């Protein structure tokens, strides 16, 4: 089992000590550095990004906050290394964390069971990094009747059928268009895949894939849970980690 190199950033020495004590139970983990402020953390990650697999990142720190670091790293996918785990005592930051491609979100005090599940998910993601097409910021056009919408493809999280229309869910709003799923599949980039009879997902926004009954569930970067039918697994299995 390969070594996972990780960084811990937290302004509370006791929090770092407690987390290090729990992580000591996993011999394949290598703590490369610990920081007590956001500025030093960001500088280190920018200089050593390709040497770090996993980051435990406190949200409230002197200097740059955890969310600020997420924004400045400008990740295109939650699954892209280094995987960023937000650690905080405040639940209200979860949406913003996933919006900026955090891999996971842990509430303090971090339980051993929750940490074990987080590390298992991280190991799966790192062992089988998704081979997604390069993330782009190209404009995509959609018909809404008499007018046309122009959207950045990276802003689109998923598209779902809604009666005779399709509903586009972006990072900030929901929009209704007058196109069919079949028409969209013929012209959208390859990272938009059908995962259910009525659902298209932008794979750049997939945060987690897990079995659910006889099918799968996707957790997206905005926290939304999407059912994915086994029937459509061939559409995404080569680009995302297998469950």
């Amino acid at each position: 089992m390969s070594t996972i190199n990780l960084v811990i950033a937290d302004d509370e020495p006791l929090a770092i000590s407690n987390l290090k004590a729990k992580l000591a139970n996993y011999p394949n983990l290598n703590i490369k550095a610990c920081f007590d402020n956001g500025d030093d953390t960001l500088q280190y990650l920018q200089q050593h990004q390709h040497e770090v697999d996993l980051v435990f990142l406190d949200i409230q720190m002197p200097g740059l906050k955890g969310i600020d670091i997420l924004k400045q790293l400008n990740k295109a996918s939650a699954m892209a290394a280094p995987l960023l785990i937000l650690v905080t005592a405040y639940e209200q930051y979860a949406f913003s964390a996933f919006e900026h491609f955090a891999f996971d979100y842990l509430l303090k005090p971090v339980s051993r069971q929750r940490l074990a599940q987080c590390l298992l998910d991280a190991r799966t993601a790192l062992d089988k990094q998704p081979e997604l097409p390069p993330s782009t910021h190209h404009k995509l056009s959609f018909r809404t009747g008499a007018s046309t919408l122009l959207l950045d493809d990276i802003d689109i999280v998923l598209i779902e059928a809604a009666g005779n229309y399709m509903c586009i869910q972006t990072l900030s709003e929901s929009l209704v268009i007058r196109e069919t799923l079949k028409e969209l599949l013929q012209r959208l980039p390859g990272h938009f895949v059908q995962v259910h009879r009525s659902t298209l997902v932008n794979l750049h926004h997939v945060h987690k894939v897990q079995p659910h009954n006889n099918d799968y569930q996707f957790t997206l970067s905005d926290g939304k849970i999407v059912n994915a039918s086994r029937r459509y697994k061939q559409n995404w299995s080569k680009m995302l980690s297998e469950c």
Side-chain angles (χ1 to χ4, degrees), residues 7 114 216:
V7 167
R114 182 67 182 86
Y216 298 89

Side-chain angles (χ1 to χ4, degrees), residues 84-152:
L84 299 174
I85 315 297
L86 270 292
V87 185
T88 180
Y90 306 99
E91 294 184 1
Q92 65 264 33
Y93 295 104
F95 178 82
S96 183
F98 289 127
E99 184 180 11
H100 295 287
F101 305 117
F103 178 76
D104 209 340
Y105 192 91
L106 300 180
L107 287 175
K108 295 179 179 178
V110 179
S111 70
R112 293 185 183 276
Q113 181 178 5
R114 182 67 182 86
L115 179 62
Q117 183 60 57
C118 173
L119 291 172
L120 179 61
D121 292 340
R123 164 62 67 184
T124 301
L126 292 167
D127 282 350
K128 300 179 180 179
Q129 279 291 333
E131 297 177 0
L132 294 177
S135 175
T136 64
H137 294 267
H138 294 162
K139 292 288 186 183
L140 298 177
S141 61
F142 300 93
R143 298 196 304 274
T144 61
S147 60
T148 299
L149 283 174
L150 294 176
L151 301 174
D152 286 329

Side-chain angles (χ1 to χ4, degrees), residues 6-98:
L6 63 90
V7 167
I8 300 173
D10 198 308
D11 66 333
E12 299 178 21
L14 183 58
I16 291 180
S17 297
N18 288 340
L19 183 56
K20 289 174 70 174
K22 292 183 174 75
L23 294 174
N25 295 312
Y26 301 88
N28 63 312
L29 300 181
N30 174 40
I31 300 176
K32 291 184 68 69
C34 295
F35 299 98
D36 62 2
N37 67 86
D39 296 329
D40 289 343
T41 302
L42 178 62
Q43 183 179 4
Y44 182 88
L45 292 178
Q46 289 175 333
Q47 294 175 352
H48 304 277
Q49 186 165 348
H50 299 296
E51 304 169 20
V52 178
D53 302 306
L54 193 62
V55 182
F56 288 94
L57 189 61
D58 187 20
I59 284 185
Q60 296 290 351
M61 291 187 293
L64 291 171
K65 310 302 183 187
I67 296 295
D68 297 326
I69 293 173
L70 276 172
K71 293 177 181 178
Q72 295 205 35
L73 285 176
N74 196 28
K75 294 184 62 171
S77 167
M79 303 289 282
L83 306 181
L84 299 174
I85 315 297
L86 270 292
V87 185
T88 180
Y90 306 99
E91 294 184 1
Q92 65 264 33
Y93 295 104
F95 178 82
S96 183
F98 289 127

Side-chain angles (χ1 to χ4, degrees), residues 134-174:
S135 175
T136 64
H137 294 267
H138 294 162
K139 292 288 186 183
L140 298 177
S141 61
F142 300 93
R143 298 196 304 274
T144 61
S147 60
T148 299
L149 283 174
L150 294 176
L151 301 174
D152 286 329
D153 67 346
I154 194 61
D155 288 339
I156 301 171
V157 179
L158 79 157
I159 305 175
E160 296 179 293
N164 296 324
Y165 302 91
M166 300 296 293
C167 180
I168 298 178
Q169 182 64 53
T170 74
L171 291 172
S172 60
E173 60 184 333
S174 295

